């Protein structure tokens, strides 16, 4: 039986445009998993340059890598600082499942 050759996959390799990044973050926000959202923000920050994001947020680069990983648990203030440094704005919208009577 032939062995299957696998290659590492990094979403950062596919975040080439602002539209890609926004769609990726939007999908994570739609999913609603806080760990996924943090990890996606970490991927986007890596794509943009973690050193620059750290400088703009005033947070340490290593602490950002840790907080914005799948195992991280960042404070909401960190999420807001990172989204602002990335030039994103979090917005509220009605959920499709919202019961609007």
């Amino acid at each position: 039986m032939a062995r299957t050759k696998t290659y590492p996959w990094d979403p950062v390799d596919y975040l080439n445009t602002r539209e890609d990044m926004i769609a990726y973050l939007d999908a994570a926000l739609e999913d609603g998993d806080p760990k996924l959202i943090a990890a996606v923000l970490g991927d986007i920050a890596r794509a943009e340059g973690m050193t620059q994001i750290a400088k703009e947020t005033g947070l340490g680069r290593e602490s950002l890598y840790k907080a914005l990983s799948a195992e991280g648990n960042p404070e909401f203030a960190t999420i807001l600082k990172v989204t602002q440094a990335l030039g994103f704005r979090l917005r509220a919208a009605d959920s499709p499942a919202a019961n609007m009577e």
Side-chain angles (χ1 to χ4, degrees), residues 19-94:
E19 291 79 17
D20 293 341
M21 294 174 191
I22 290 167
Y24 187 40
L25 180 57
D26 194 44
L29 289 167
E30 189 173 310
D31 181 88
D33 180 354
K35 296 243 183 234
L36 177 62
I37 294 165
V40 165
L41 278 173
D43 292 340
I44 295 169
R46 286 188 305 119
E48 286 287 298
M50 192 65 83
T51 301
Q52 183 63 31
I53 300 302
K55 188 182 298 183
E56 290 181 31
T57 61
L59 302 169
R61 189 176 61 86
E62 290 302 318
S63 65
L64 280 177
Y65 274 113
K66 185 176 178 180
L68 300 177
S69 70
E71 297 79 32
N73 189 20
E75 293 182 8
F76 190 65
T78 300
I79 297 294
L80 289 178
K81 286 179 183 180
V82 171
T83 55
Q84 289 171 349
L86 290 168
F88 297 152
R89 180 176 72 176
L90 298 180
R91 296 172 39 176
D94 281 331

Side-chain angles (χ1 to χ4, degrees), residues 1-6:
M1 181 179 210
R3 292 183 148 250
T4 301
K5 188 168 184 162
T6 61

